[in-house]
Amino acid sequence: MSATSNEFFVGIKPIEYNPQASVDDLLVFKQYNQDEIILGKPMHEWLRFAVCYWHTFRGIGADMFGAPTFDRPWDQSGNEMQIAKDRLRAAFEFFTKLGVKYFTFHDRDIAPAGETIEQTEKNLDEIIQLAKELQKQTGIKCLWGTANLFADPRYMNGAATNPDAHVFAYAAAQVKKAMEVTHELGGENYVFWGGREGYMSLLNTDVRKELDHLAAFLRMAVEHKKKIGFTGQLLIEPKPKEPTKHQYDYDAQTVMGFLNYYGLNKDFKLNIEPNHTTMAGHAYEHDVEMCSRYGMLGSIDSNTGDSSLGWDTDQFPMNLRDCAFVMKTVIAQGGLAPGGLNFDCKVRRESTNLQDMFIAHIGAMDCFALALRKMARLFEDKKYDILVQQRYASYNETDIGKKIEAGTATFEELHAFIKKNGEPAKTSGEQEKFEVIFNRYLD
Ligand code: XUL
Ligand code: CO
């Protein structure tokens, strides 16, 4: 903080859009022009960017092999609650200067835990009051809140899937409060990421019991949501592994199957994090597309991994191709609201300047904005719609295809059809053609 003001990011002015800016001018948007209308709505409505509190304001630059490398000016005062307040003010200065409209948080990111649940909730309430004031002053909104059910040692064997009902109850108590404070901040969604909801060994695990318990937990959350009048969307964030060897919310299709089985599919949508998707062995865009096609894509933790590493590196998305694939799906479903693009990303441990926080977010926002522009053109041309429809034309244009789609065909009928019509003609999948066309839209 400067000696004369409450400013933490001294010398950094609000980031502006200037497409003419030089390559070296990094504190400027060259693509993200928030009010520019694309396909009938402003860019900020398509993109709904959020800054995440845990990486950007609680990240200290530590890793498994080394001590913290960051030296943040808001982490200096000594007293835990005072630091939490300074940090919150710094965060709102950052959101405002960056020009994002949303933030996301875990309960334990914004306020320190106390010795007892009463003290923990008191700390949280005090910080939430300050957050509300800062929201009022700045107009910044809460995209989603969540509870940290993985860091405290009590959750070492899981939270809602813990073999001990006492731990399950603790997790429920914590989520109850986290939902209430998210509601108080006007949160537009609430996220469940099953941090340790999985197993390390099948030998000591009753997987069926744990999944039944997880469903019971989520049912209680739905009930509580109604009880407190929270109208935000509930979201589940899939991840295949890490920290546990196997996480139950493995990927989008697994989570949708789980929700359907337990009758929860009307109450939840998915928050897809592409870094998690790639850890499940899928392409970056796979889960986004997979759940969108079932009307289940609620929000995106827009980050990326490193293909040569394979763990959850939570890097800023800077690859135009990846962002374009995401935006292609987002445009096709008409947007993400009430979800958004949350930067669940951390600057590298070696990126120790305060400026790096801005540069990272600006770079990722510009990458998505450019992807939006490019994919808007593709959408307007209806290129893929037409080409993909053509591949499936037989289902609309032939009697047998129409019957299959309608669910009225039988095996006997299809057997008779083949006897009469013989071998199908060979049809090229034309993958390269589709890839070349996609690349041309990225030009
Ligand atoms: C962890 C992860 C979380 C969730 C929120 O991999 O992505 O930060 O987004 O708990
Ligand atoms: Co995430």
Side-chain angles (χ1 to χ4, degrees), residues 25-93:
D25 192 355
L26 296 168
L27 296 178
V28 114
F29 294 117
K30 283 181 71 77
Q31 297 294 338
Y32 181 58
N33 184 19
Q34 59 167 348
D35 294 320
E36 185 180 326
I37 304 292
I38 305 270
L39 298 173
K41 55 183 171 188
M43 271 194 166
H44 70 86
E45 276 184 34
W46 279 115
L47 299 165
R48 293 173 60 84
F49 292 126
V51 171
C52 90
Y53 209 81
W54 53 100
H55 289 313
T56 299
F57 286 92
R58 299 309 309 268
I60 51 178
D63 71 11
M64 261 133 66
F65 302 94
T69 56
F70 300 163
D71 192 14
R72 303 302 197 206
W74 50 87
D75 275 342
Q76 310 296 333
S77 86
N79 168 314
E80 258 196 328
M81 282 300 278
Q82 190 53 48
I83 292 178
K85 289 179 187 172
D86 287 346
R87 190 187 286 129
L88 198 62
R89 291 195 184 93
F92 274 79
E93 182 190 332

Side-chain angles (χ1 to χ4, degrees), residues 54 106 144 146 150 193 237 239 271 273 276 301 312 344:
W54 53 100
H106 296 81
W144 52 261
T146 187
F150 42 90
W193 170 58
E237 182 175 329
K239 188 175 184 180
N271 179 39
E273 179 167 324
H276 298 172
D301 268 7
D312 195 9
D344 187 355

